Amino acid sequence: MNTPVTSGIDRIDLMQTFVRIVESGSLSAAAAQLSTSQPTVSRRLQSLERLLGAKLILRTTHAMKLTDDGQRCYEQAKLLLERWVSLEDQLSGAGDEPVGILRVRAPHAFGQDQLIAPLTRYLQRYPNLSVDWMLNDRTPDFISEDIDCAIQVGNVADPSLVAILLAEVPRIVVATPQLLQRHPVSQVSELSQLPWISFSTYYRNEFTLKHDNDGRMESCSIAPRMATDSLYAMRKAALSGLGAGIVSAWIVKEDIAEGRLQRVLPGWNALPLPVYLVYPYSSYYPARLRKFLEMMRSVMPELAEMQAPGG
């Protein structure tokens, strides 16, 4: 009797491997994400193609392209795997219990300062969960980098992503008392006379401030002595007296309280930055992501100097 071609083959594994190949962009990237070898990934792809009786991927030395059958297989496999994970969670009783590994991308300063305490409490609450906590200020390529979700400061432009507004980060103008003694200012138009440090992620040669009481908006042009994309570098440079800067209020709270820095033109502030939890659309989200979202919604507005959305 002939042995069926499917003997000993786990169809779910084959489809998971195929989806990972498509989403990561190559067999080698898929192998790295699946913690296996490229030859193993290649054999799984060949097994799936034999099982389905169709060529799924066309490969050349420099490129990989889905066939029409491969595109249909990918779309159906994606839905089937999501439903399979949902069924596994329900039958194992893990539907509401976070398990496995959650891969999160967070901004450098925020991720190593404000969020470690709530993340620790979250992990202590769910002992069967692990978190890969990766710090980077850019929005990840969720599929190719195998990221579950990201915490993003600033607006989300990609309409293909789910973006949940968690809180807003107040931004204030600060400088050392010594700098302001040398360069006193009494109105927004005089700010251009100060030496400046720019936080290049959000402003460089111009910024707009809003008055807390009457909502007036005024813009100011500057020629920065230094520009940086690091909030920590921005704070250090301001503390050194290099110039004034617009920073997230939380990072200089203690500096202001202890007199190392002071507010410039209190009552005039930059517009707050929104903080989002961002992740790809899916027909099913595992408990580790759902519970993380619940936790972030709860704790984010309570962090130092944060404010609730629209607050």
Side-chain angles (χ1 to χ4, degrees), residues 82-100 122 126 128 284-292 294:
E82 290 171 356
R83 291 168 182 162
W84 178 258
V85 171
S86 174
L87 177 62
E88 282 186 322
D89 284 352
Q90 292 174 29
L91 295 182
S92 67
D96 288 322
E97 180 71 15
V99 297
Y122 179 67
Y126 299 113
N128 295 320
Y284 174 75
Y285 298 109
R288 58 182 174 270
L289 179 56
R290 299 196 311 269
K291 295 294 185 181
F292 184 74
E294 290 176 11

Side-chain angles (χ1 to χ4, degrees), residues 138-164:
R138 65 175 177 81
T139 302
D141 183 331
F142 289 91
I143 303 303
S144 64
E145 297 180 48
D146 195 22
I147 304 295
D148 294 304
C149 63
I151 297 159
Q152 179 171 326
V153 179
N155 291 320
V156 179
D158 190 343
S160 69
L161 300 174
V162 180
I164 306 298

Side-chain angles (χ1 to χ4, degrees), residues 37-51:
S37 66
Q38 183 171 333
T40 297
V41 168
S42 181
R43 284 195 297 271
R44 290 177 186 173
L45 173 60
Q46 293 168 8
S47 296
L48 183 61
E49 289 178 328
R50 287 197 302 270
L51 179 64

Side-chain angles (χ1 to χ4, degrees), residues 172 174-178 235 239 249-263 305:
I172 59 177
V174 297
T176 61
Q178 295 80 5
R235 171 181 171 268
L239 284 169
W250 66 266
I251 202 168
V252 293
K253 182 180 180 180
E254 292 184 5
D255 298 317
I256 291 174
E258 297 175 12
R260 293 186 293 268
L261 292 172
Q262 69 181 61
R263 301 269 304 261
E305 299 298 308

Side-chain angles (χ1 to χ4, degrees), residues 14-142:
L14 297 186
M15 284 188 289
Q16 286 174 331
T17 299
F18 174 63
V19 167
R20 185 57 62 199
I21 293 169
V22 175
E23 294 184 344
S24 66
S26 70
L27 271 67
S28 58
Q33 292 182 8
L34 293 168
S35 300
T36 188
S37 66
Q38 183 171 333
T40 297
V41 168
S42 181
R43 284 195 297 271
R44 290 177 186 173
L45 173 60
Q46 293 168 8
S47 296
L48 183 61
E49 289 178 328
R50 287 197 302 270
L51 179 64
L52 297 177
K55 188 70 174 176
L56 302 178
I57 292 177
L58 298 176
R59 284 186 288 162
T60 66
T61 305
H62 303 292
M64 184 186 80
K65 182 180 178 181
L66 284 175
T67 65
D68 289 343
D69 288 334
Q71 182 63 39
R72 285 191 290 271
C73 179
Y74 168 71
E75 292 169 358
Q76 294 299 317
K78 183 84 170 172
L79 289 173
L80 191 151
L81 290 171
E82 290 171 356
R83 291 168 182 162
W84 178 258
V85 171
S86 174
L87 177 62
E88 282 186 322
D89 284 352
Q90 292 174 29
L91 295 182
S92 67
D96 288 322
E97 180 71 15
V99 297
I101 299 175
L102 181 70
R103 295 173 57 83
V104 184
R105 173 74 62 77
H108 267 112
F110 223 38
Q112 63 184 297
D113 195 310
Q114 293 285 78
L115 296 177
I116 293 299
L119 178 65
T120 299
R121 293 194 297 269
Y122 179 67
L123 287 170
Q124 289 171 340
R125 181 177 180 183
Y126 299 113
N128 295 320
L129 175 72
S130 299
V131 171
D132 281 358
W133 190 248
M134 293 158 286
L135 304 184
N136 192 304
D137 291 309
R138 65 175 177 81
T139 302
D141 183 331
F142 289 91

